[in-house]
Amino acid sequence: MRRIIAEDLDWSLATVSSLSNLCLQCIVNNFEEKPIYEELTSSEKDFIQNRVSLSLPLHFAANVFPDGVYWKRRCEQKWKVCDVSNYGESWKRMFFERQLENIIELFVPGITEPKTVLDMVTLCKDHIKKLNIAQLLPPVKEPQTEDEEQATELTLENEDDKSGMDHFDFRILLDKLTNLEELHLVYKVKSCGMNFEWSMFEMTNRDCESLAKALKSCKTLKLFRLHLSHLEDKKCRLLVKYLLDHPSLRTLDFSHNVIGDSGARAIGKLLTKSKLEILNLYDNNIGGPGAKAIAHALSKNTTLVSLNLCLNRLNDEGGQAICKALLNNKTLLHLQLGANGVTWLTALSLSSVLAQNNTLKSINLSCNTLGEVGGNALEEAMSHNTSVTECNIHLTDIEERKVSVINQMVWNNQFRKQETSPREKNTENAN
Amino acid sequence: MEEADKVHEEAPEPPVLSDNQEDKKGASSFKGKEDPTEEGNEELKTKMQEEKKDVNKRIMSLQKRLTTLVTNIQTAADAKEMERRSGMEDNCRIRDERLKNDAKACQEKVEEIRKGWSIVNQKVVHSELQSVLDSQQQLCAAVIEDKKKLIRDLQQERRVKEDQYLKNLRRLDEEIKLMLDRMQQQFQNLSKAYSEELTQLQGVYQQEIEVLLAKDKAKLDKHMKEHWDTELESLMERRRMVEESEKTVHDVMLENTTKIKLMQLEENAKSQARLREQQQMKGKSVVLNLKQLEHGNKNAAYNAKLEEMKGKILGTSKEVKNLKTKYAKQKDKFMKQRQYLSEVHKRSRQHYERMQKEVRYTTAADARKFEEMWVMMEEEVTQLAEKALAIDSLICKHLGLAWERPSAAFMESPGPRRSQEHDTNPNSHLLQTRHPSHCSQRMMDASVGPSLERDSEHSTGVEEGELSSETLMKVMELLCDETGFLVEDKLRKLLVPMEKNEQTIVKLHSLFAVLGLKEKDLPKLLHEFLLMYERQQGERTEGAEAMENSATADSTSRLIKPNYVLPTLRRFLEQHRKRSSSHQQSSLSHPARDTSVEEAYWDRLGNIITEEKLKLWDAAERELKQYEEVLMDISVLVPETELLRQQNTELRMQLQQILSTVLNSLWLSAEGREKKSRTRKSRPSTTTSSITQCSL
């Protein structure tokens, strides 16, 4: 008796499991040969989901089990940290998204068979809504002699056209994912160590073209984010060209790239043609002319809600242009012009906007040398404004006193709004 | 909080992107950044103190403070990036200028060298040429040296910047760690604040609720009091009003009642008159109605009855139908069954007849066989007896005794069986004893009824017995009287008016029914009684025939004594029972034989050799055996004597021969030989003596 108990921890004399439990256990044991699931009651389904082996082949399990405990178990088996709230509370979606991300991130062009991705896609195309790809591996380079390297340096332009350095081709993937809404991409290699090469953190021209075509084919995409990928003007123009008539794209994020004026011009064109709501060009290389193009588009646009141009080189030329454009725009809520080298001139024009525009909610002018003049202008403008609830004017050489005054006014706006909003809520509830 | 998260994501990224360029003011800017947080905390405290009551505001400000803290970090990072960029641009510019200067200097020097080459071409004198060439070489070396220096400088610069970049990276790492810590602190602060706020909120709300409750209660009490007061007042007023109105009502009522009474009286008179008229009318109508009702009732009753009857009829007709169908079904069923059963019956009957035929045939065959066997046996036995007699005669002859044939007549006569076959039936008288029974039976048939006529037909061929009907009747009467206790009283009463004959017959019937006998058995019974009677008569009469003849004359004296009736009846019943049990077999067996005659015959045959003779035979056998033994001994000794005789002759022959030879030689040989001859002479003498003995 003792021996039995020692061998089997679950063994117990007292509890003899009921016949139905034994039957269910039997189903669980032979699930792969004879899957009985749909005809069971919900509690029995739970029982099976809790017991079925996690090593079932994926193509089998994907068709049998709906979202539930089984996928939770698989997720927790595979990853330590699982926050299901990021995946719409669906464990199955989480499992498939992360699985597909893993496959793509470890995809080595030329070595990995595209079939592995396609097989996975056929299983999970209905469940994937968001793809967050944190790295894209380049193909394995054969060791080259110095002469060849010199030769390649000389024919750098040509090399771009070679398929040698291309990353994963998204064309085979995106048109099949019928529910994809968000795509986050980074062309980089994680923990490359001493094998560092600049080309690892860039996308090639071919990559760009294939990606652009793939994006065009994906009609459900709402958010596209391509950051830290050394995106240049040329490639930016190419991408934008294909995104011009995209039916569903609402959010575009090109932060931490090297987009210049011509790229900004293309994006300005995109603003006029598409229905973008959020545009993020944080940390790029956009100068005055590019900002003027964006401002021109902004003056005609009626959809854009948020514009982030922080850490560019707009200078007063671009800043003033954007502020003027805001005189005609009634939709933009969030404007960020931090760290752009603008001066009191822009502050003046912005204060004239603030005095009459009551849609803007948040402004960021940090890290600009606005000076006292700018501070005075802003203070006066804010005294007339009631909509701005956030205003970042740190490190702008404005006097502390004025900063605190301006902040006070912003808070007053915020409190007012806070007080009105619960009432609105109450009325909504009453209705 | 979302913003904080975003910052958390974005803030660490710029350092990754940053080139291997110098970032001089990173640390200082970071230090400067810490000030606002402290300020924020202080402000936060003051704010908290100020806005303790307004919880919403407090939390919002807290959020704002905390997020601004993070946004400050971001702006600081942005600023740093800006500075880095400007620094990078400056550096680039300086480097470009330097390179341009260098290029200019180089150009000048190269031009100098070119000029020098033109001089070289002009020069002819060797020494001059040599010096010019040297100067040229020096110039070239200077250019190269300049370049090398430049390269060295740049390389050194690069190295320094690499180191700086590394340091920068490390610093950034520390900053990130610091930031993480701070963020964690913020989280904690915020959560603590939230929990505090929650408890505060709860307290506040509870207080508020209590206060509100107290207020409401007070209000309620007040309102209730007012309400009660007003109610009371109004009630009092109403009571007064009611009293007043009651008085007025009473007055009015009195007036009214007098008026109404008058009116009523008048109207009563009118109404009574009307009532009378109405009642008259009613009376008439009632009479009519009654008549109609009677008719109606009757009709209704009839109709109801009719309907009931109809219903019953329908029900019964239905039942009848059902029963009919059932009956038809049953009939068919029974018909089929009957047919089937009759077929079965027929078949079984045929089978039975066949069986009977077979049995009869087999019994006949068996009987024939038996008789043949019997005859054969008898023949054999007689032969054996004759043989025995022959042997006996032989023995007698042998012994010299006189032998006589014991009884030649018996021996010559054939066996009883054979004599039967020759129609000299010795047992015929036994069969004839039954005839009276047949006779009596016949008499019975006439009286009892047609049921016995069948039996009487069988007995037609039987001759009339000696027993008269009278005796039979008497026996029957006797029987009836003696066994009267077995007959029921009812029957006896019924039989009283009948004639005596009929009485006896009916009584017998009932008696037989009681005893389980059949009418067939009656004659046997009677016969039994008669036999009984015979036995009673004793052995004074010799034959049955003679006895019967005399019985006819003196019937009464021959009748059985009444005392013996019952025992005889009982005996008869026992016999009858036995017989009936064995009847089935015996009825089919061949006619009974007289075993006693045969037994006697067989005995006689068995004893044909008498005991005395047997003793004689035994003695003779013993003697003969002794004689045989002696003879046997003799027969054994005969061949021996023969052999000895032969030997003797041979030896005699030899002696003669030897004697002849010896006579010749005797003369020649010595005395020794004489002795030998003597022994030889003695030997023949012994042999001769033995021979004589044998012959004796």
Side-chain angles (χ1 to χ4, degrees):
Chain A
M1 212 65 87
R2 223 169 160 191
R3 201 166 55 86
I4 295 169
I5 292 167
E7 281 169 0
D8 186 357
L9 292 172
D10 295 333
W11 194 89
S12 151
L13 255 184
T15 54
V16 177
S17 54
S18 62
L19 182 60
S20 58
N21 271 15
L22 290 174
C23 291
L24 287 173
Q25 191 58 49
C26 192
I27 291 174
V28 166
N29 290 340
N30 303 312
F31 202 82
E32 201 172 344
E33 290 89 55
K34 193 172 172 56
I36 302 170
Y37 183 76
E38 280 304 318
E39 49 269 52
L40 301 176
T41 63
S42 55
S43 62
E44 288 164 352
K45 283 179 181 175
D46 280 351
F47 184 91
I48 285 182
Q49 286 209 0
N50 270 317
R51 305 289 168 93
V52 165
S53 157
L54 294 177
S55 55
L56 285 179
L58 201 59
H59 64 85
F60 176 76
N63 295 325
V64 174
F65 295 114
D67 183 35
V69 186
Y70 179 74
W71 297 109
K72 183 181 175 182
R73 285 167 64 216
R74 273 194 99 131
C75 285
E76 282 166 353
Q77 182 204 32
K78 203 148 190 172
W79 302 289
K80 277 179 186 174
V81 182
C82 297
D83 184 6
V84 78
S85 62
N86 290 336
Y87 297 90
E89 306 293 337
S90 166
W91 289 99
K92 195 174 183 180
R93 185 185 147 196
M94 173 169 164
F95 180 82
F96 280 118
E97 284 182 6
R98 289 178 82 161
Q99 188 77 15
L100 187 62
E101 282 164 13
N102 273 358
I103 288 175
I104 292 171
E105 282 169 9
L106 299 175
F107 185 89
V108 181
I111 291 176
T112 317
E113 287 283 321
K115 197 170 170 291
T116 55
V117 181
L118 292 177
D119 284 347
M120 188 66 198
V121 165
T122 53
L123 289 180
C124 60
K125 57 185 175 185
D126 295 331
H127 304 290
I128 286 180
K129 285 188 174 176
K130 179 177 148 188
L131 272 182
N132 187 358
I133 290 154
Q135 78 164 356
L136 282 165
L137 295 176
V140 177
K141 242 192 202 172
E142 286 162 28
Q144 290 172 320
T145 59
E146 280 188 14
D147 294 341
E148 279 171 341
E149 271 178 18
Q150 282 174 353
T152 51
E153 274 170 26
L154 288 173
T155 57
L156 202 74
E157 286 294 312
N158 296 337
E159 197 197 339
D160 278 350
D161 294 325
K162 286 181 187 171
S163 60
M165 282 301 287
D166 292 337
H167 296 89
F168 176 71
D169 189 351
F170 279 94
R171 275 178 296 184
I172 63 168
L173 177 67
L174 290 193
D175 60 339
K176 292 186 181 75
L177 298 173
T178 50
N179 287 324
L180 188 72
E181 288 179 355
E182 292 186 29
L183 180 63
H184 303 254
L185 277 184
V186 185
Y187 279 84
K188 73 170 187 185
V189 179
K190 278 181 183 170
S191 60
C192 56
M194 295 308 288
N195 299 322
F196 174 82
E197 268 180 54
W198 276 113
S199 63
M200 283 180 178
F201 295 84
E202 282 178 356
M203 60 197 294
T204 63
N205 285 341
R206 267 169 172 268
D207 281 337
C208 184
E209 197 170 343
S210 66
L211 178 63
K213 283 174 180 168
L215 287 176
K216 199 180 180 185
S217 70
C218 184
K219 300 292 181 192
T220 54
L221 194 69
K222 283 183 180 168
L223 184 151
F224 177 57
R225 182 166 179 232
L226 179 65
H227 59 129
L228 289 170
S229 298
H230 207 75
L231 187 69
E232 300 149 6
D233 280 339
K234 195 180 159 192
K235 291 166 190 166
C236 178
R237 283 207 303 274
L238 189 62
L239 278 179
V240 168
K241 189 181 149 194
Y242 281 97
L243 285 175
L244 272 181
D245 294 315
H246 200 278
S248 61
L249 193 70
R250 294 288 175 273
T251 307
L252 190 62
D253 190 341
F254 283 148
S255 53
H256 306 295
N257 283 305
V258 285
I259 298 168
D261 288 332
S262 63
R265 238 173 264 140
I267 289 167
K269 201 178 174 187
L270 178 68
L271 274 180
T272 56
K273 286 221 172 184
S274 73
K275 292 173 181 173
L276 274 184
E277 286 169 3
I278 296 165
L279 179 62
N280 192 347
L281 295 171
Y282 183 82
D283 190 15
N284 273 296
N285 217 354
I286 299 167
K292 275 185 178 171
I294 289 173
H296 182 70
L298 191 63
S299 64
K300 294 176 181 172
N301 187 291
T302 55
T303 56
L304 198 69
V305 174
S306 168
L307 177 64
N308 191 342
L309 288 169
C310 281
L311 215 58
N312 279 294
R313 291 147 204 257
L314 299 189
N315 297 328
D316 280 328
E317 189 188 357
Q320 277 177 314
I322 283 176
C323 290
K324 277 177 191 166
L326 280 182
L327 288 172
N328 297 323
N329 186 299
K330 301 290 178 193
T331 53
L332 196 72
L333 299 177
H334 309 282
L335 177 65
Q336 271 145 324
L337 295 171
N340 264 307
V342 295
T343 59
W344 59 275
L345 286 169
T346 310
L348 275 181
S349 52
L350 185 63
S351 57
S352 66
V353 170
L354 284 177
Q356 54 168 297
N357 182 324
N358 269 340
T359 50
L360 266 181
K361 277 185 177 175
S362 65
I363 305 165
N364 186 353
L365 285 171
S366 59
C367 305
N368 288 310
T369 50
L370 302 182
E372 282 186 36
V373 186
N376 288 333
L378 278 176
E379 189 187 348
E380 202 190 328
M382 280 307 295
S383 63
H384 298 292
N385 188 291
T386 56
S387 63
V388 175
T389 55
E390 273 178 58
C391 181
N392 191 345
I393 44 171
H394 291 292
L395 303 177
T396 48
D397 295 349
I398 302 174
E399 284 178 53
E400 284 296 325
R401 194 180 52 77
K402 279 179 184 168
V403 169
S404 65
V405 169
I406 290 172
N407 280 339
Q408 190 62 48
M409 282 191 278
V410 170
W411 292 331
N412 285 338
N413 284 346
Q414 203 172 359
F415 295 145
R416 215 175 296 143
K417 210 183 167 195
Q418 201 79 31
E419 280 165 16
T420 54
S421 60
R423 272 182 218 156
E424 282 167 14
K425 272 183 192 171
N426 285 340
T427 50
E428 276 172 16
N429 287 339
N431 291 334
Chain B
M1 296 307 290
E2 287 171 14
E3 264 189 50
D5 286 341
K6 261 187 203 169
V7 171
H8 172 53
E9 274 179 20
E10 287 170 7
E13 281 167 1
V16 180
L17 247 195
S18 58
D19 295 350
N20 50 354
Q21 292 292 322
E22 196 180 16
D23 191 356
K24 288 169 187 171
K25 291 185 180 176
S28 63
S29 70
F30 192 73
K31 275 176 192 170
K33 192 180 60 190
E34 286 179 51
D35 297 334
T37 60
E38 284 170 14
E39 271 179 28
N41 282 340
E42 281 173 12
E43 277 182 29
L44 192 133
K45 277 175 190 170
T46 53
K47 277 252 166 179
M48 276 166 74
Q49 281 169 356
E50 282 170 10
E51 300 167 4
K52 254 187 182 177
K53 286 175 188 173
D54 198 342
V55 183
N56 273 337
K57 269 189 184 177
R58 197 178 68 92
I59 280 298
M60 225 165 58
S61 63
L62 186 69
Q63 271 180 357
K64 182 111 188 161
R65 283 283 127 199
L66 292 170
T67 51
T68 46
L69 206 68
V70 179
T71 45
N72 283 349
I73 294 166
Q74 196 187 355
T75 49
D78 286 354
K80 215 161 57 178
E81 175 66 13
M82 278 279 288
E83 274 174 34
R84 192 187 61 78
R85 277 190 185 179
S86 58
M88 199 170 72
E89 272 167 22
D90 287 349
N91 279 335
C92 281
R93 213 185 325 115
I94 290 163
R95 212 181 298 133
D96 281 347
E97 276 172 21
R98 198 172 162 183
L99 284 173
K100 270 177 194 169
N101 289 339
D102 197 59
K104 258 182 199 172
C106 269
Q107 204 90 38
E108 283 168 14
K109 275 179 184 169
V110 167
E111 268 171 28
E112 236 176 81
I113 291 165
R114 236 177 243 158
K115 278 175 194 166
W117 280 120
S118 62
I119 293 164
V120 168
N121 287 336
Q122 285 165 10
K123 295 291 177 187
V124 184
V125 183
H126 186 71
S127 59
E128 280 178 3
L129 196 71
Q130 189 68 40
S131 61
V132 171
L133 274 175
D134 284 349
S135 64
Q136 283 285 49
Q137 214 162 9
Q138 278 172 1
L139 277 171
C140 281
V143 169
I144 288 164
E145 212 165 303
D146 278 358
K147 289 280 177 193
K148 273 184 181 171
K149 198 184 171 188
L150 186 71
I151 287 165
R152 227 177 294 132
D153 285 354
L154 283 172
Q155 272 178 347
Q156 206 167 354
E157 207 178 322
R158 201 200 70 196
R159 241 171 261 144
V160 169
K161 275 181 186 163
E162 271 179 2
D163 290 348
Q164 277 175 348
Y165 178 63
L166 267 178
K167 278 177 196 167
N168 197 22
L169 276 179
R170 265 173 218 148
R171 213 162 40 224
L172 283 172
D173 191 41
E174 283 166 19
E175 279 174 26
I176 287 164
K177 275 179 190 167
L178 254 172
M179 226 144 67
L180 277 174
D181 287 347
R182 209 167 292 154
M183 273 161 69
Q184 213 140 19
Q185 276 178 2
Q186 282 171 10
F187 278 131
Q188 283 170 1
N189 281 344
L190 198 66
S191 53
K192 211 191 281 176
Y194 270 124
S195 58
E196 277 173 22
E197 185 215 328
L198 197 73
T199 48
Q200 259 183 353
L201 259 178
Q202 277 178 345
V204 166
Y205 277 124
Q206 217 148 14
Q207 279 176 359
E208 263 182 42
I209 286 164
E210 276 167 20
V211 167
L212 280 172
L213 265 173
K215 266 188 196 173
D216 283 350
K217 260 188 187 174
K219 262 188 190 175
L220 194 80
D221 287 347
K222 216 191 275 175
H223 280 296
M224 286 300 275
K225 253 183 195 173
E226 283 172 20
H227 186 70
W228 284 123
D229 290 347
T230 50
E231 283 282 296
L232 268 174
E233 277 174 28
S234 61
L235 268 173
M236 291 297 282
E237 268 181 40
R238 207 176 286 170
R239 199 176 281 169
R240 229 183 301 135
M241 288 275 282
V242 165
E243 277 167 13
E244 281 172 24
S245 58
E246 264 179 7
K247 269 179 196 172
T248 50
V249 164
H250 194 69
D251 294 344
V252 172
M253 283 244 296
L254 277 172
E255 281 174 32
N256 278 350
T257 42
T258 49
K259 275 182 195 171
I260 285 164
K261 269 180 185 171
L262 282 173
M263 294 273 281
Q264 269 181 344
L265 280 169
E266 280 173 28
E267 277 185 9
N268 270 352
K270 276 181 195 173
S271 63
Q272 272 173 357
R274 254 175 231 162
L275 269 174
R276 232 170 283 140
E277 279 173 29
Q278 268 187 351
Q279 270 177 350
Q280 276 177 353
M281 292 287 282
K282 259 188 193 170
K284 277 175 196 172
S285 62
V286 161
V287 171
L288 282 170
N289 277 340
L290 273 172
K291 276 177 191 170
Q292 276 178 349
L293 270 172
E294 269 175 31
H295 280 287
N297 278 338
K298 271 181 193 172
N299 282 336
Y302 282 132
N303 282 336
K305 268 185 190 173
L306 272 172
E307 269 168 23
E308 264 181 47
M309 293 294 280
K310 268 181 191 171
K312 269 185 195 173
I313 287 161
L314 280 172
T316 44
S317 63
K318 264 183 197 173
E319 266 180 45
V320 166
K321 262 184 197 171
N322 285 341
L323 285 170
K324 266 181 187 170
T325 49
K326 229 186 228 176
Y327 167 72
K329 273 182 201 168
Q330 291 276 356
K331 207 175 175 182
D332 287 353
K333 214 176 165 182
F334 282 128
M335 285 292 281
K336 277 176 193 170
Q337 226 167 358
R338 213 185 85 184
Q339 277 177 357
Y340 173 72
L341 285 173
S342 63
E343 274 171 26
V344 168
H345 175 70
K346 227 183 253 174
R347 241 179 288 140
S348 57
R349 202 164 191 180
Q350 282 171 359
H351 187 69
Y352 170 71
E353 278 168 12
R354 230 180 297 137
M355 289 288 286
Q356 241 174 356
K357 266 184 198 169
E358 262 176 46
V359 167
R360 245 177 251 155
Y361 177 75
T362 46
T363 46
D366 282 352
R368 220 182 302 136
K369 222 181 193 175
F370 176 76
E371 265 164 26
E372 279 169 11
M373 284 286 286
W374 194 263
V375 168
M376 203 176 71
M377 291 288 281
E378 273 179 351
E379 275 173 6
E380 261 178 40
V381 168
T382 45
Q383 275 175 7
L384 278 171
E386 271 170 17
K387 227 182 193 176
L389 287 173
I391 288 165
D392 193 28
S393 65
L394 264 176
I395 290 167
C396 284
K397 266 182 198 171
H398 200 74
L399 289 174
L401 294 169
W403 184 75
E404 287 175 14
R405 207 173 169 85
S407 55
F410 167 73
M411 282 305 293
E412 278 160 10
S413 72
R417 182 59 47 179
R418 269 174 290 176
S419 65
Q420 243 177 37
E421 281 170 4
H422 295 299
D423 274 333
T424 53
N425 199 341
N427 298 333
S428 58
H429 67 281
L430 282 172
L431 291 171
Q432 277 166 356
T433 52
R434 287 178 193 169
H435 293 169
S437 70
H438 284 297
C439 155
S440 67
Q441 201 177 18
R442 234 178 132 203
M443 195 268 311
M444 284 285 294
D445 293 340
S447 58
V448 171
S451 62
L452 287 172
E453 275 175 8
R454 270 175 280 154
D455 290 5
S456 67
E457 282 169 15
H458 290 286
S459 59
T460 46
V462 185
E463 11 171 327
E464 289 290 340
E466 291 86 357
L467 272 176
S468 67
S469 57
E470 277 177 32
T471 50
L472 271 174
M473 278 307 292
K474 271 174 189 165
V475 170
M476 275 158 68
E477 272 171 38
L478 191 69
L479 194 63
C480 288
D481 292 341
E482 286 304 311
T483 58
F485 63 92
L486 289 169
V487 180
E488 284 177 55
D489 293 341
K490 266 189 185 176
L491 196 67
R492 224 176 285 160
K493 278 176 195 169
L494 284 169
L495 290 173
V496 168
M498 290 171 113
E499 280 179 48
K500 210 184 179 184
N501 256 359
E502 284 174 4
Q503 270 187 20
T504 49
I505 286 158
V506 173
K507 273 182 187 172
L508 267 178
H509 260 282
S510 61
L511 189 70
F512 275 38
V514 167
L515 294 172
L517 295 172
K518 286 171 190 171
E519 279 141 5
K520 277 189 227 167
D521 301 322
L522 178 68
K524 284 180 196 168
L525 181 61
L526 293 176
H527 183 231
E528 185 78 10
F529 278 102
L530 290 174
L531 281 177
M532 191 64 198
Y533 172 74
E534 277 165 35
R535 246 169 266 163
Q536 270 184 340
Q537 291 294 307
E539 278 84 36
R540 57 186 169 125
T541 53
E542 291 159 20
E545 281 100 333
M547 215 21 256
E548 278 158 17
N549 287 330
S550 62
T552 49
D554 185 15
S555 60
T556 48
S557 65
R558 282 183 68 209
L559 270 176
I560 192 166
K561 279 183 186 172
N563 294 346
Y564 290 104
V565 167
L566 278 176
T568 44
L569 185 66
R570 192 179 293 162
R571 200 152 42 85
F572 171 76
L573 281 173
E574 278 167 16
Q575 278 180 355
H576 171 76
R577 234 164 264 154
K578 274 181 205 165
R579 227 180 298 150
S580 66
S581 62
S582 61
H583 188 256
Q584 246 61 31
Q585 293 95 2
S586 63
S587 64
L588 288 168
S589 65
H590 48 80
R593 293 189 305 270
D594 187 6
T595 49
S596 59
V597 175
E598 279 174 3
E599 215 176 287
Y601 175 74
W602 282 97
D603 272 350
R604 250 182 288 163
L605 272 179
N607 296 331
I608 203 158
I609 308 295
T610 53
E611 293 257 321
E612 288 169 15
K613 267 199 179 160
L614 273 176
K615 276 176 192 171
L616 190 81
W617 282 22
D618 283 345
E621 195 181 3
R622 243 176 285 143
E623 288 292 313
L624 282 172
K625 266 185 185 165
Q626 278 177 1
Y627 181 64
E628 197 188 4
E629 272 173 28
V630 173
L631 281 179
M632 284 301 282
D633 285 347
I634 290 168
S635 71
V636 170
L637 287 172
V638 165
E640 245 176 80
T641 53
E642 284 280 307
L643 199 102
L644 284 170
R645 216 174 272 159
Q646 214 174 349
Q647 267 182 344
N648 209 1
T649 52
E650 274 177 19
L651 282 169
R652 218 173 262 174
M653 289 275 284
Q654 270 179 341
L655 190 71
Q656 279 176 349
Q657 277 179 350
I658 290 162
L659 275 174
S660 63
T661 50
V662 165
L663 283 173
N664 294 331
S665 62
L666 206 126
W667 313 105
L668 304 169
S669 63
E671 292 175 300
R673 279 182 189 176
E674 284 174 10
K675 284 178 188 175
K676 278 182 186 175
S677 64
R678 272 173 211 166
T679 55
R680 268 172 203 171
K681 272 182 183 175
S682 67
R683 211 181 267 171
S685 63
T686 52
T687 51
T688 47
S689 65
S690 68
I691 288 162
T692 49
Q693 277 174 353
C694 285
S695 65
L696 281 169

